[in-house]
Amino acid sequence: MYDEALLEPLSAYKDIYKDAINDEAEKYFDELAEKAETDITSNRETIALLKKKLEEKKVIEKKVSKAKAKKGFFIFLIVLFFIAAAVLIVLGVTKVIWLWLGILIGVILVLGAIALIVYVAKSLNKDIKKVEEELKKKNLEIAEQEEIARLQMARLNAMYDWTMPGTIIE
């Protein structure tokens, strides 16, 4: 009689070999971790902390993005104010609208643009630098955590080789 594993390899894998391979792989890696003297619990804690810091980094990146978008919007408004002021002054000089009205609104728009320039230069740029510094610090913290995780797993990683899949499946 023929071996059922040869006739129905997929069902044989699902019914027989899948759990056996998983159990053998788990046993093999547990032994390897023990041989390498790897503190798995400590590494899990390090990875959890790293994931938390990566989430915090995403929040800070959003703050940077919002602040830069706000700066871009204000620069757009500044340019728009200057263009509108120039157009209104020209319309006043060419007598399309009253001269005094064109000059008055033009001056108000120029003053508004200057106020926005001062706001962007003094306040918004400081806010952006502050958030970028926060992001820089968070990146350093993440790099430190990644290095700790690498060091925790270095001996175990050094023990991996290309023959492992064959050894596990045997």
Side-chain angles (χ1 to χ4, degrees):
M1 190 132 223
Y2 290 105
D3 188 7
E4 190 174 322
L6 291 174
L7 296 175
E8 296 288 332
L10 184 60
S11 64
Y13 171 74
K14 288 180 181 176
D15 297 338
I16 302 168
Y17 299 117
K18 185 177 181 181
D19 290 334
I21 289 171
N22 282 341
D23 292 342
E24 187 63 30
E26 197 170 307
K27 179 180 156 196
Y28 183 85
F29 285 111
D30 285 344
E31 288 172 6
L32 201 61
E34 191 175 307
K35 230 187 259 183
E37 298 175 356
T38 302
D39 187 357
I40 295 170
T41 306
S42 176
N43 183 257
R44 285 187 179 140
E45 291 170 0
T46 301
I47 296 302
L49 184 59
L50 179 61
K51 286 180 180 178
K52 180 183 173 200
K53 289 186 181 296
L54 288 169
E55 289 299 318
E56 292 169 356
K57 178 185 173 184
K58 285 181 185 178
V59 171
I60 296 169
E61 285 174 334
K62 285 181 183 178
K63 286 181 184 178
V64 170
S65 179
K66 285 180 183 180
K68 287 185 176 182
K70 190 176 179 182
K71 180 180 178 179
F73 175 71
F74 282 131
I75 290 171
F76 171 76
L77 281 180
I78 290 166
V79 171
L80 188 66
F81 281 13
F82 279 126
I83 291 171
V87 168
L88 286 169
I89 291 171
V90 168
L91 289 176
V93 170
T94 58
K95 307 264 186 209
V96 175
I97 61 172
W98 293 317
L99 178 61
W100 67 269
L101 183 62
I103 292 173
L104 176 67
I105 295 174
V107 167
I108 290 171
L109 288 172
V110 167
L111 292 174
I114 291 170
L116 286 176
I117 290 171
V118 169
Y119 172 71
V120 168
K122 295 253 182 196
S123 180
L124 199 54
N125 282 341
K126 285 181 184 175
D127 291 345
I128 291 172
K129 284 181 185 176
K130 179 181 168 189
V131 177
E132 284 177 339
E133 279 297 317
E134 189 178 341
L135 181 61
K136 194 183 218 182
K137 287 179 186 175
K138 191 57 67 180
N139 282 333
L140 288 174
E141 290 175 14
I142 289 169
E144 287 174 9
Q145 285 303 119
E146 287 173 340
E147 186 59 27
I148 291 169
R150 263 189 229 99
L151 290 174
Q152 289 173 337
M153 299 300 289
R155 291 185 67 186
L156 181 63
N157 289 339
M159 297 175 90
Y160 289 147
D161 63 26
W162 290 102
T163 62
M164 292 174 94
T167 305
I168 293 169
I169 292 176
E170 288 176 357

